[in-house]
Amino acid sequence: IVKLDKTTNNPIAGATLVIKDLMGNEIKRFTSSINGYTLTGLANGTYTVEEVEAPKGYKLSTEKETFTL
């Protein structure tokens, strides 16, 4: 999982992101890095990723990304 700057499309470090399951339960919370984040061990299902804390100098994103395994 990589957080990207909307203007430059470069990776952004320092955003706190949360992965939730279909029921809204928090599965994992992590801080973004320029190298991305690899998540393993998830069961098949549908999940969302959302930003809960913006990195310094950025505005909090209200977008949620959904993915299915």
Side-chain angles (χ1 to χ4, degrees):
I1 298 170
V2 178
K3 171 77 177 167
L4 299 175
D5 182 292
K6 200 171 197 174
T7 303
T8 66
N9 211 35
N10 291 327
I12 301 171
T16 302
L17 303 172
V18 174
I19 297 174
K20 295 182 179 180
D21 65 15
L22 196 56
M23 301 300 290
N25 299 309
E26 185 174 313
I27 302 300
K28 183 70 179 174
R29 180 178 293 249
F30 62 96
T31 302
S32 67
S33 76
I34 59 170
N35 298 317
Y37 180 81
T38 301
L39 182 65
T40 60
L42 283 180
N44 289 341
T46 300
Y47 299 89
T48 60
V49 180
E50 63 183 280
E51 184 176 280
V52 294
E53 186 177 335
K56 188 174 183 176
Y58 286 88
K59 183 179 172 183
L60 182 67
S61 173
T62 58
E63 294 179 30
K64 294 181 184 180
E65 296 294 327
T66 301
F67 64 95
T68 302
L69 301 177

